[in-house]
Amino acid sequence: MISLMIRSSPAGALDPVSFPPMSRIDIDCFSRLLLAGHSCVHLATYEEEHALEVVRSAASEHRRHMLIWSVTRGLRDGIVRDDATIADTAHPAGALTHLAQHTPAKTVVAMLDLAAHLKDERTLRSLRELIQKLPELESTLVLIDGSDELPASVRGSAVRLDLTLPGAEELEEIVRRTVQEIHSRGAVRVSLMKEDLAAIVQNLQGLTRYMARQAIIDTIIDDRQLDASDIKGIIAFKKRALRSMGVLEPVESFTTLDEIGGMRNLKAWLELRERALSDEAVEFGVEPPRGVLMLGVQGAGKSLSAKAVATAWKRPLMRLDVGAMFDRFIGESEHRLRDALRQAEMMAPVILWIDEIEKGFASAASQSTDGGLSKRMFGSLLTWMQERTRPVFIIATANDVSALPPELLRKGRFDEIFFIDLPGEEARKQIVEIHLKKRQRDPELFDIPAIVAACEGYSGAEIEAAIKASIYNAFAKSSLLSTHMVIEALKTSPPLSVTMAESVDGLREWAEGRCVKAD
C-alpha cells in the first residue's frame, strides 16, 4: 500500500502552494514574457485561479508589484490577499484610467473578464492608451479571460499565452492535496497500491485542475474512502466532463481487428506498429506513428477500424467532434480546437479519431462563407499535426474525397492513406461468418458461397443490416434462420454501389495510384 501522507490540519487549511513541474512551465513561460518587456499578455483560460497563481508567483519571484481587477471588486493588491480595494475602480474604464495615472513602475496588473466590456468605446480607448504607456513603466497588463474574443486593435498589441493542462506529477499532487483537504473535515480511508494511484492519475489526464480535483471529491464523498474500485468512477466522471465540453468524446471500444473482414494490408500495417506508441519503442529509437487517413465507400468499415485499432493497441480512443467546435462567438471556435488538441496531447499515448473530416473542413477547400473561420481552424489543425511531439495517433476518416482540402493529402500529414473499397469475395465470406457468429448462428449450417455471391457489391454495413433483417423475419415467423432468408433480405435492399454507382466509381478512380488499398 502507498501513503498519500494525510496529515491533520485545521478545517479547510492546506499546505502552502508548491508547484510541480508542469505548473513550473507556466510560471517560466510567463516570466520570460515579463522579462522581455511585453506590455500586454492574454491568457485565454477557464482556470482563472491557476492563471492568477502563475502570475502571482512570477511577480513575486521577480520582485514586481501586483494588482488584480474584477468588475465586482475593482482594483486591489494581488500579493497581499485582503479585501481592501481602490475607490472608484469597479467600472472598467475607471480602473483603466486610474492605472494610466497611478500605476507604479514594475507592476503586473491582472484584469479578469475584461473582454466583454471592450464593446464600450470609452473602455476600449482607455485600455489602448494604458497599453501604450506601460512600456515606459516596465509594467505588464495581463488579460485573464475565458474567451478569445478580443478586438483586433487589442489583439495586435497582446501576446497570447496558453497555459498547460496538469501533467502526471501535478495530478498526483492534486490527488494528495484533495484527499488531505477532505480528511481534515472527517476521516478518509485510503487503500491504494502504487499501480492503482498511477491508474487514477492516468485517467485524470486531459482534465483541468478544477475537474481533476472535483473527480476525486465526487469519488470520495459518499463512502469516505479511496481505493482501486474508485477508478471506474473516475473514468465515468471524465467521460461526463469531456462530453460537457462538447469537443473530445471518449469512445468505448470492444471491437477487435478479428471482427473486421478483409483489409489485409491495413491490418498488417497496424500490427507492425502496435507497440510503437510505447516508451520502450521510443528508447529503441522508433519514431511514434503519426496516423492514417482512411478514404472509402460509406459503410465499408472505416469507423469500425478506428475502434478496432484502439482495442488492439490497448489505447484510449477519443473522438474529435468537428461540428461541435464551430461556435457563434468570434474566437471561441479556435479556442475549442486548441483546447481539444491540448487535451489529446496531455492524454497521450492516445488515439484521436476525426470522423468524416471533410464535413468539418469542407469550406477550407473553397471560397468559404464563414469569414475564413474554417480556413483558420484547418490551418491550426495542420500546424498541430505537423509539429506535435507527443504520441497522438490520428485516424481520420472521409467519404467524399472531393471535399477534402488538398493540403490534408500532402505527404507527411499522415503516415499512410488507405482506400477502403467494397469487400471482395474472401472479405465478404469473413464478414458473413462474423455476423452470423455474433448472433449465435453456426456458419456451417448455411450455404456461405451462395450468400457471398448474393451480396456482391454490398458494403460490410449493408451485409450486417441484411443479416439483422433476416433474423427479425425469422423471429416473426417463429422459424429457423435460413440461407434463403438472408439472400431475400439482401435482394430487398439494393446496395449503395447501385444507387450511387457514379459516386463510387469516381472515388475508386481517384484512389487509383494515390492510396494504398486496405485489402
Side-chain angles (χ1 to χ4, degrees):
M1 294 293 175
I2 64 168
S3 169
L4 292 185
M5 295 184 295
I6 296 176
R7 298 178 297 273
S8 298
S9 58
L14 294 177
D15 294 339
V17 175
S18 60
F19 289 91
M22 286 304 291
S23 292
R24 187 68 241 179
I25 289 174
D26 291 337
I27 298 170
D28 290 343
C29 287
F30 180 73
S31 292
R32 283 194 290 272
L33 297 177
L34 199 62
L35 297 175
H38 288 279
S39 57
C40 185
V41 179
H42 180 210
L43 300 182
T45 177
Y46 301 122
E47 294 197 86
E48 184 178 284
E49 284 303 316
H50 174 64
L52 283 172
E53 285 299 336
V54 167
V55 174
R56 186 178 287 118
S57 295
S60 297
E61 287 180 10
H62 299 290
R63 300 182 182 280
R64 303 292 177 98
H65 303 290
M66 181 178 173
L67 294 171
I68 298 177
W69 175 86
S70 68
V71 72
T72 55
R73 299 181 60 185
L75 279 169
R76 62 191 187 279
D77 193 288
I79 303 294
V80 179
R81 306 188 192 191
D82 58 29
D83 293 327
T85 60
I86 299 173
D88 301 322
T89 59
H91 192 281
L96 291 166
T97 300
H98 176 92
L99 290 168
Q101 296 172 355
H102 303 291
T103 300
K106 296 189 176 182
T107 297
V108 180
V109 182
M111 302 195 75
L112 310 178
D113 299 327
L114 182 65
H117 301 282
L118 296 179
K119 295 174 183 177
D120 175 64
E121 294 180 1
R122 179 187 167 201
T123 302
L124 178 59
R125 183 68 251 171
S126 299
L127 174 62
R128 295 185 65 189
E129 290 178 357
L130 174 62
I131 292 174
Q132 292 169 9
K133 185 173 182 179
L134 288 175
E136 65 188 62
L137 298 172
E138 297 182 68
S139 294
T140 299
L141 177 67
V142 186
L143 303 177
I144 300 175
D145 210 295
S147 170
D148 277 352
E149 191 178 358
L150 286 180
S153 58
V154 177
R155 283 202 306 270
S157 304
V159 59
R160 180 193 173 90
L161 176 60
D162 288 317
L163 300 179
T164 61
L165 287 169
E169 188 173 344
E170 186 178 359
L171 285 168
E172 184 173 325
E173 182 66 14
I174 288 172
V175 173
R176 293 177 186 276
R177 288 177 177 272
T178 304
V179 171
Q180 182 184 339
E181 178 185 0
I182 299 173
H183 181 75
S184 70
R185 299 168 187 155
V188 173
R189 180 176 175 271
V190 177
S191 179
L192 291 174
M193 301 297 289
K194 186 176 181 180
E195 55 269 26
D196 298 329
L197 179 59
I200 288 174
V201 168
Q202 173 67 34
N203 283 294
L204 290 173
Q205 289 191 338
L207 297 179
T208 65
R209 291 159 184 84
Y210 171 82
M211 286 180 174
R213 179 177 178 274
Q214 197 60 51
I216 298 302
I217 293 173
D218 285 10
T219 300
I220 293 175
I221 206 68
D222 286 337
D223 57 6
R224 310 293 300 182
Q225 66 180 18
L226 182 64
D227 54 32
S229 66
D230 291 317
I231 295 174
K232 290 182 180 179
I234 290 171
I235 294 173
F237 179 96
K238 182 176 182 177
K239 289 178 181 177
R240 293 194 302 270
L242 291 178
R243 286 195 181 101
S244 70
M245 298 174 75
V247 179
L248 276 187
E249 177 189 358
V251 178
E252 288 280 3
S253 177
F254 304 104
T255 304
T256 66
L257 289 173
D258 293 336
E259 296 177 54
I260 301 174
M263 301 197 194
R264 290 167 296 178
N265 293 334
L266 176 60
K267 288 177 180 178
W269 191 93
L270 292 169
E271 184 177 352
L272 190 64
R273 291 158 178 80
E274 181 176 345
R275 295 167 51 228
L277 292 179
S278 65
D279 293 337
E280 179 187 0
V282 174
E283 292 171 4
F284 191 81
V286 175
E287 186 175 333
R290 304 184 70 79
V292 294
L293 174 61
M294 297 182 189
L295 304 173
V297 182
Q298 291 182 29
K302 299 184 295 298
S303 299
L304 197 64
S305 297
K307 295 177 181 179
V309 172
T311 303
W313 288 10
K314 298 180 177 63
R315 299 297 181 191
L317 178 64
M318 305 300 298
R319 180 174 175 270
L320 179 64
D321 187 349
V322 180
M325 289 188 299
F326 289 87
D327 195 278
R328 66 183 183 277
F329 296 113
I330 298 172
E332 191 64 24
S333 299
E334 293 98 319
H335 191 189
R336 287 187 174 192
L337 177 60
R338 278 192 294 269
D339 279 350
L341 298 179
R342 278 200 305 149
Q343 281 184 327
E345 288 204 76
M346 291 307 304
M347 295 170 68
V350 69
I351 296 173
L352 182 63
W353 174 24
I354 310 177
D355 195 21
E356 298 187 335
I357 191 171
E358 76 276 22
K359 290 187 177 180
F361 297 107
S363 297
S366 59
Q367 291 295 322
S368 64
T369 58
D370 57 11
L373 176 60
S374 296
K375 290 182 183 292
R376 293 196 303 274
M377 293 183 66
F378 183 66
S380 297
L381 177 64
L382 290 184
T383 300
W384 176 81
M385 288 174 64
Q386 199 71 29
E387 297 180 356
R388 74 186 188 277
T389 56
R390 299 279 291 163
V392 177
F393 184 80
I394 298 175
I395 298 180
T397 62
N399 298 319
D400 183 5
V401 69
S402 64
L404 286 174
E407 300 95 321
L408 188 67
L409 304 174
R410 185 174 69 76
K411 286 294 183 182
R413 304 293 188 202
F414 296 96
D415 294 318
E416 199 59 85
I417 301 176
F418 286 98
F419 176 65
I420 301 180
D421 203 347
L422 295 172
E425 182 176 350
E426 179 58 30
R428 295 199 304 276
K429 177 178 180 294
Q430 293 175 16
I431 292 168
V432 169
E433 290 178 346
I434 285 168
H435 288 297
L436 286 173
K437 289 177 182 176
K438 281 179 69 174
R439 290 156 183 86
Q440 293 79 47
R441 299 302 193 278
D442 183 358
E444 295 290 334
L445 302 178
F446 295 82
D447 186 348
I448 298 298
I451 297 175
V452 168
C455 63
E456 183 177 1
Y458 285 73
S459 69
E462 289 168 334
I463 294 171
E464 180 184 14
I467 291 175
K468 283 182 179 178
S470 64
I471 291 177
Y472 277 121
N473 188 31
F475 180 73
K477 293 180 178 180
S478 300
S479 66
L480 294 175
L481 181 66
S482 66
T483 298
H484 175 72
M485 287 181 177
V486 176
I487 294 175
E488 283 300 308
L490 287 164
K491 288 179 179 178
T492 57
S493 180
L496 202 65
S497 61
V498 172
T499 57
M500 297 184 66
E502 296 82 3
S503 175
V504 173
D505 290 341
L507 188 58
R508 284 174 173 158
E509 184 179 342
W510 183 92
E512 191 66 37
R514 290 187 173 97
C515 306
V516 174
K517 291 185 177 179
D519 198 13

